[in-house]
Amino acid sequence: MPVVLAAGKLEPAAHTLLFVLSVLAIVPLAALLSHATESVAAKTGDAAGGLLNATLGNLTELVIALTALRAGQYTLVKASIAGAIVTNALFLLGASFLLGGLKHHIQEYNRVSARVQAGLLFLATVALLIPSAVGTADAETATAFTRKLSLGLAVLLIVAYGLGMLFSLKTHRELFASAEHAGDGEAPWPIGLALATLAGVTVLVALVSEIFVESVQKAAEAFGMTPAFVGFIVVALVGGAAEMAAAFSAERKNRLDLSVGIALGSASQIALFVAPVLVLLSHVIGPTPMDLQLWLGAVMMVLISTLTAFLVTNSGRSAWFVGVLVLMVYLIFAMTLYLLPPQVQ
Amino acid sequence: MPVVLAAGKLEPAAHTLLFVLSVLAIVPLAALLSHATESVAAKTGDAAGGLLNATLGNLTELVIALTALRAGQYTLVKASIAGAIVTNALFLLGASFLLGGLKHHIQEYNRVSARVQAGLLFLATVALLIPSAVGTADAETATAFTRKLSLGLAVLLIVAYGLGMLFSLKTHRELFASAEHAGDGEAPWPIGLALATLAGVTVLVALVSEIFVESVQKAAEAFGMTPAFVGFIVVALVGGAAEMAAAFSAERKNRLDLSVGIALGSASQIALFVAPVLVLLSHVIGPTPMDLQLWLGAVMMVLISTLTAFLVTNSGRSAWFVGVLVLMVYLIFAMTLYLLPPQVQ
Amino acid sequence: MPVVLAAGKLEPAAHTLLFVLSVLAIVPLAALLSHATESVAAKTGDAAGGLLNATLGNLTELVIALTALRAGQYTLVKASIAGAIVTNALFLLGASFLLGGLKHHIQEYNRVSARVQAGLLFLATVALLIPSAVGTADAETATAFTRKLSLGLAVLLIVAYGLGMLFSLKTHRELFASAEHAGDGEAPWPIGLALATLAGVTVLVALVSEIFVESVQKAAEAFGMTPAFVGFIVVALVGGAAEMAAAFSAERKNRLDLSVGIALGSASQIALFVAPVLVLLSHVIGPTPMDLQLWLGAVMMVLISTLTAFLVTNSGRSAWFVGVLVLMVYLIFAMTLYLLPPQVQ
């Protein structure tokens, strides 16, 4: 772990070395992280535990995005936002269903919680879709219109996210309770130790991730991958390492509520909190204001991801094939982006 | 009330005065209306009561649209149709959920009834969407094609609406029964008095609304609002005053079936009855036949409204946050239309 | 029956005669087919019986498509694929609901089975939609990109279909069991006889269908129907005769699981097996590789059909009005295609 950070400082050009080192560093960190998350969830319930894990996990995305924002690289920022939403809502959710389904015949989870998260995601998708749908022909008015609209939408989304937290953690928290889980053999850590570990490890993962993202981007382009594929798929998968470790571990222990909470909670947090905050911050620290408008292909992918998550979590039951279906949608996106000729992106 | 009508005759240019007077006139009328609706619903059941209220309430929209139709102002007619669908399916439904949810922790309603209305709305949305999706490049053939198609679709939609009524009021009426409601303290009026009041007050509201709509339109444009915002949002909110009064009053008394019936019933009635009737009438009284084709942004808004109503009413349960989500979608539309540069519309 | 085949050989130009003869030949064959299907389903359960019927029924589509493929008529192949998906998912499903609903007040069916099929259809729709959504402007790169992508998507879809079979016939087969049906008066045939009849009659239907399709296409164009209407609606309805006979007969006997299994199973089999196999085969036997890209109108129709099937089968209950709604969507498509000016298609 310290080796990676040192190497990252000393030899920023040795991408392949950095790549291997950072993978080696992330694995034990992720294991620590998942154990800490479960210890906290044992105290707070799966919904709040999932939210905590998602929040800490999204710090990685926020750190990466802030760096790019200050440099004015808005295309990169937007690609990483859209990629993170799609990866969380499809890959993380689908892999959780699949892994859990291979071990358990049928799993039940709290559909109220999944529906609220999917509803928030749906709202964010509408906010991304409408400015493109009513778009104007005249370029100059269009820019002014989109900027003002993005600012307003950003505020709306943050308010909606706050109200969603109020609803799920305060006024209707009893709806979000998971089924009781028998002790899974390991004694949970004390809450203080668990919280401290959670925070500490997340920071370390964020630091390593940043090195990883940079090195993997260079390495991937050397392997002939398209920028769209790297931004949408590779960076998002790496940036989501912390969530994945916790979600998959919870899944194998049949705590599907925790996994679904992490997957959809992380996606909706990026869409309704991280992205709007970046729009607002771009008015302060960016060279020009950033808007919320994505290229059409990205909007379609976010829309389909949201719809898939909504339709799939509708029943509150899961088996391995549900995971396969969700992962297949993700594979279709990955394959399309991998083959896309560079000039379109 | 008579003051407004007199003032409307005498000083048609004093928009601000007319505006204030008509608001003052509508408030007591709306209160009368909601009490009459509940008295009728006490006899006929919530589904039929909601339908009756929606029908009477939509007379306002029909009167306004007929005037515009005779003048050949098809853009205004279409905007008011799309605006009325969106306002009923989002604002009225969302506000009902929110108001009811603030008073009652969790509310249950008859999901079969909501699903039938949402299904009808979905059908109408497909009818609006398909002509645009397969649209042709050649302007002249396009017009002929769209007109013939609109005529056929209008007949289809009216038939579907009629069959929906047959289903919900005749062959499967037992599915649409609401939960029993304990008497809410006020004695219901006799059915004859209630029906007469309902009809009478609706006519008065329609008369005042027409004055109101005209004055508000002028006043709103003076305040710098875009025509799209006025047509879609302001006129639709005013035109829906009768439905709103009844729906919100029912909601506060925990009669969510009545509110949902009014909101979705009114939206589907406009989409499957009022709009098709206007298309058919345009062949008789309009200068040229009117088609059903909307501008792309309006189609998207109707589509998203329908999808939102469908997804939200799927569970048959509601809490305040469901209302917030639906209202937020409405706010996104309102904000987009408010900021839209005028030349796009 | 032999008369038709002989006439088809001897007088290939007498379209009207062939038309009448082939209709006369198909009727008794279809009756045989439905009785054989039910006999098999009595042994294997409705899910497997429906799959068997769908597979045999889709042989017709495969035979027609292979002939067109070898001739390089890719537009015809694609139209018949899209038409078959839409016809199965809307007309067959809607007519089953309607016919069953007219005889039985409310019917219940296994929603797990319907959801899996609808999920597979949704996946195939995403595969059809995404290449169009991210499409490129440069024509030459576009062709290369679409071909490579279509190849990859074809493999993905076949894998998904195979996993879906594994899921429904092996690992989770208990979820797909239908309610017990009391004997319907007719003794089922022995399984050997039933299977032989099923196979034999299907081959005969396929032979007659081919003659029918050719004659109906000529006849229809003589009646002034547009090519899009003939390809999408007429050919698909005739090609689906075998499925229809079995589905409607099952429906009247209140075996809704069998009808829904045939309708959605046939649609998803065409989308996830027949279409991808044709893409793969086009690399071997076609003049140039075929891709999966449809014209925008066809993509929209497939998308709306899938969404309709998903929303409608969500509840696992049905009444006649559900059938009316689904058929109305189909009628909207048919009317649009019937009126569409020829140059657009």
Side-chain angles (χ1 to χ4, degrees):
Chain A
M1 168 70 214
V3 178
V4 196
L5 293 179
K9 281 265 164 354
L10 296 174
E11 295 193 57
H15 298 308
T16 321
L17 180 70
L18 283 176
F19 181 89
V20 175
L21 282 175
S22 47
V23 169
L24 287 178
I26 281 180
V27 171
L29 288 177
L32 263 178
L33 203 58
S34 72
H35 192 72
T37 303
E38 279 160 34
S39 302
V40 174
K43 284 283 188 309
T44 59
D46 281 358
L51 176 69
L52 187 66
N53 178 280
T55 308
L56 292 171
N58 283 336
L59 281 180
T60 324
E61 276 88 359
L62 195 61
V63 168
I64 298 175
L66 275 177
T67 320
L69 193 71
R70 213 173 293 124
Q73 295 188 305
Y74 293 159
T75 312
L76 184 63
V77 175
K78 290 180 188 177
S80 83
I81 290 172
I85 297 173
V86 170
T87 301
N88 282 310
L90 293 182
F91 179 77
L92 197 46
L93 189 70
S96 293
F97 282 152
L98 179 58
L99 287 180
L102 290 179
K103 216 172 156 192
H104 307 274
H105 193 66
I106 287 186
Q107 293 181 294
E108 310 247 335
Y109 56 95
N110 186 330
R111 49 184 271 183
V112 175
S113 171
R115 285 177 69 91
V116 167
Q117 301 290 358
L120 283 169
L121 258 184
F122 179 76
L123 184 66
T125 309
V126 173
L128 289 174
L129 191 63
I130 276 297
S132 311
V134 299
T136 111
D138 177 4
E140 206 170 318
T141 12
T143 312
F145 162 62
T146 315
R147 272 190 200 153
K148 266 191 288 181
L149 184 58
S150 296
L151 204 59
L153 292 177
V155 175
L156 263 192
L157 290 181
I158 292 176
V159 171
Y161 189 67
L163 289 173
M165 306 264 278
L166 183 69
F167 181 70
S168 58
L169 299 179
K170 190 110 192 277
T171 71
H172 286 64
R173 59 190 300 180
E174 81 286 354
L175 292 179
F176 294 83
S178 343
E180 272 307 308
H181 296 285
D184 48 17
E186 307 171 46
W189 294 348
I191 183 89
L193 175 61
L195 276 175
T197 311
L198 214 50
V201 173
T202 305
V203 171
L204 293 180
V205 169
L207 288 175
V208 179
S209 294
E210 206 172 359
I211 297 174
F212 188 25
V213 165
E214 211 170 303
S215 67
V216 89
Q217 220 161 347
K218 293 276 162 51
E221 275 157 25
F223 282 126
M225 296 176 187
T226 61
F229 182 77
V230 174
F232 239 74
I233 307 289
V234 180
V235 171
L237 282 178
V238 177
E243 290 98 325
M244 273 172 221
F248 296 164
S249 160
E251 183 55 47
R252 278 192 304 274
K253 290 173 190 152
N254 205 10
R255 301 185 65 166
L256 193 47
D257 279 312
L258 188 51
S259 319
V260 173
I262 293 172
L264 293 185
S266 179
S268 67
Q269 193 179 54
I270 288 172
L272 285 103
F273 187 75
V274 175
V277 161
L278 289 172
V279 169
L280 296 182
L281 281 179
S282 76
H283 285 260
V284 184
I285 65 169
T288 57
M290 186 175 85
D291 59 50
L292 270 176
Q293 206 161 15
L294 299 171
W295 59 289
L296 181 66
V299 173
M300 289 299 303
M301 288 185 187
V302 172
L303 178 65
I304 292 173
S305 305
T306 305
L307 212 56
T308 306
F310 216 115
L311 296 174
V312 147
T313 56
N314 202 18
S315 69
R317 303 170 79 200
S318 152
W320 65 265
F321 186 64
V322 179
V324 168
L325 275 181
V326 178
L327 284 176
M328 282 280 175
V329 175
Y330 188 68
L331 275 179
I332 291 177
F333 292 173
M335 189 181 280
T336 307
L337 292 167
Y338 187 80
L339 293 173
L340 204 63
Q343 74 271 27
V344 207
Q345 298 147 24
Chain B
M1 169 72 214
V3 177
V4 194
L5 292 178
K9 281 263 165 354
L10 297 172
E11 295 192 56
H15 298 307
T16 320
L17 180 71
L18 282 176
F19 182 90
V20 175
L21 282 175
S22 48
V23 169
L24 286 179
I26 282 179
V27 172
L29 289 177
L32 263 178
L33 202 59
S34 71
H35 193 72
T37 303
E38 280 160 34
S39 303
V40 174
K43 284 281 188 312
T44 60
D46 281 358
L51 176 69
L52 187 66
N53 177 278
T55 309
L56 291 171
N58 283 336
L59 281 180
T60 324
E61 276 88 359
L62 196 60
V63 169
I64 298 175
L66 276 177
T67 321
L69 194 71
R70 212 172 295 123
Q73 295 188 307
Y74 293 158
T75 312
L76 183 64
V77 176
K78 290 180 188 178
S80 83
I81 289 171
I85 297 173
V86 170
T87 301
N88 282 310
L90 293 182
F91 179 78
L92 196 47
L93 189 69
S96 294
F97 282 152
L98 180 57
L99 286 181
L102 290 179
K103 213 170 159 194
H104 307 277
H105 193 65
I106 287 186
Q107 293 180 294
E108 309 247 336
Y109 56 94
N110 186 331
R111 50 183 271 183
V112 175
S113 171
R115 286 176 68 92
V116 167
Q117 301 291 356
L120 283 169
L121 258 184
F122 179 76
L123 186 66
T125 310
V126 172
L128 289 174
L129 189 65
I130 276 297
S132 310
V134 301
T136 110
D138 177 4
E140 204 170 319
T141 13
T143 311
F145 162 63
T146 315
R147 272 191 200 154
K148 265 191 289 180
L149 185 58
S150 296
L151 203 60
L153 292 177
V155 175
L156 263 191
L157 290 181
I158 292 176
V159 171
Y161 189 68
L163 290 173
M165 305 264 277
L166 183 69
F167 181 71
S168 57
L169 299 179
K170 191 109 192 277
T171 72
H172 286 63
R173 59 189 300 179
E174 81 285 357
L175 292 179
F176 294 82
S178 344
E180 272 307 309
H181 296 285
D184 48 17
E186 307 170 48
W189 294 348
I191 185 89
L193 174 61
L195 276 175
T197 311
L198 216 49
V201 172
T202 305
V203 171
L204 292 181
V205 168
L207 287 175
V208 178
S209 293
E210 207 172 359
I211 295 175
F212 189 22
V213 164
E214 212 170 303
S215 67
V216 89
Q217 221 160 348
K218 293 273 162 53
E221 274 157 28
F223 283 126
M225 296 177 187
T226 62
F229 181 78
V230 174
F232 239 75
I233 307 290
V234 180
V235 171
L237 283 177
V238 177
E243 290 99 323
M244 272 172 223
F248 295 163
S249 160
E251 184 54 48
R252 278 193 303 273
K253 291 175 188 150
N254 204 10
R255 301 184 66 165
L256 193 47
D257 279 312
L258 188 51
S259 320
V260 173
I262 293 172
L264 294 184
S266 179
S268 67
Q269 193 179 55
I270 288 172
L272 285 102
F273 187 75
V274 175
V277 161
L278 289 172
V279 168
L280 296 182
L281 281 179
S282 76
H283 285 261
V284 184
I285 65 169
T288 57
M290 186 175 83
D291 60 49
L292 270 177
Q293 208 160 14
L294 299 171
W295 59 289
L296 181 65
V299 173
M300 289 298 304
M301 288 186 189
V302 172
L303 178 65
I304 292 172
S305 306
T306 305
L307 213 56
T308 306
F310 216 114
L311 295 174
V312 148
T313 56
N314 202 19
S315 69
R317 302 171 77 199
S318 153
W320 65 265
F321 186 64
V322 179
V324 168
L325 275 181
V326 178
L327 284 176
M328 282 282 176
V329 175
Y330 188 69
L331 275 179
I332 291 178
F333 292 173
M335 189 181 281
T336 307
L337 291 168
Y338 188 78
L339 293 173
L340 204 62
Q343 74 270 29
V344 206
Q345 298 147 23
Chain C
M1 168 71 212
V3 177
V4 194
L5 293 179
K9 279 265 168 343
L10 297 173
E11 294 193 57
H15 298 305
T16 320
L17 179 72
L18 283 176
F19 182 91
V20 175
L21 283 175
S22 47
V23 169
L24 287 179
I26 281 179
V27 172
L29 289 178
L32 262 179
L33 203 59
S34 71
H35 192 71
T37 303
E38 279 160 35
S39 302
V40 174
K43 284 283 188 310
T44 60
D46 281 357
L51 176 69
L52 188 66
N53 178 279
T55 309
L56 291 171
N58 284 336
L59 281 179
T60 324
E61 276 88 359
L62 195 61
V63 168
I64 298 175
L66 275 177
T67 321
L69 193 70
R70 213 173 294 123
Q73 295 186 309
Y74 294 159
T75 312
L76 183 63
V77 175
K78 289 180 188 177
S80 83
I81 290 172
I85 297 174
V86 170
T87 301
N88 282 309
L90 293 182
F91 179 77
L92 197 47
L93 190 70
S96 293
F97 282 152
L98 180 57
L99 286 181
L102 290 179
K103 215 172 157 189
H104 307 275
H105 193 65
I106 287 188
Q107 294 181 294
E108 309 246 336
Y109 56 94
N110 186 331
R111 50 184 269 184
V112 175
S113 171
R115 286 175 68 91
V116 167
Q117 301 290 356
L120 283 169
L121 258 184
F122 179 75
L123 185 67
T125 310
V126 173
L128 289 174
L129 190 65
I130 276 297
S132 310
V134 299
T136 112
D138 177 4
E140 206 170 318
T141 12
T143 312
F145 162 63
T146 316
R147 272 189 200 157
K148 266 192 288 181
L149 184 58
S150 296
L151 204 60
L153 292 177
V155 174
L156 263 191
L157 289 181
I158 292 177
V159 171
Y161 189 68
L163 290 173
M165 305 264 277
L166 183 69
F167 180 71
S168 57
L169 299 179
K170 190 107 191 279
T171 72
H172 287 64
R173 57 190 302 179
E174 82 284 355
L175 292 179
F176 294 83
S178 343
E180 272 307 307
H181 297 285
D184 47 17
E186 307 171 47
W189 294 347
I191 183 90
L193 174 62
L195 276 175
T197 311
L198 214 50
V201 172
T202 306
V203 171
L204 292 180
V205 169
L207 288 174
V208 178
S209 294
E210 207 171 358
I211 295 174
F212 188 24
V213 165
E214 212 169 302
S215 66
V216 90
Q217 221 159 346
K218 294 274 163 51
E221 275 156 28
F223 283 126
M225 296 177 188
T226 62
F229 181 78
V230 173
F232 239 75
I233 306 291
V234 180
V235 171
L237 282 177
V238 177
E243 290 98 324
M244 274 172 221
F248 296 163
S249 159
E251 184 55 47
R252 278 193 303 273
K253 289 172 190 152
N254 205 11
R255 301 184 65 165
L256 193 47
D257 280 312
L258 188 51
S259 320
V260 173
I262 293 172
L264 293 185
S266 180
S268 67
Q269 192 179 55
I270 288 172
L272 286 102
F273 187 76
V274 174
V277 161
L278 289 172
V279 168
L280 296 182
L281 280 179
S282 76
H283 286 260
V284 185
I285 65 169
T288 57
M290 186 175 85
D291 60 50
L292 270 177
Q293 208 159 12
L294 300 171
W295 59 291
L296 181 66
V299 173
M300 290 299 303
M301 289 187 188
V302 172
L303 179 64
I304 291 173
S305 305
T306 304
L307 213 56
T308 306
F310 216 114
L311 295 175
V312 147
T313 57
N314 203 18
S315 68
R317 302 171 77 198
S318 153
W320 66 265
F321 186 64
V322 179
V324 168
L325 275 182
V326 177
L327 285 176
M328 282 282 176
V329 175
Y330 188 69
L331 275 179
I332 291 177
F333 292 174
M335 189 182 280
T336 307
L337 291 168
Y338 188 79
L339 293 173
L340 203 62
Q343 73 272 26
V344 206
Q345 298 147 22

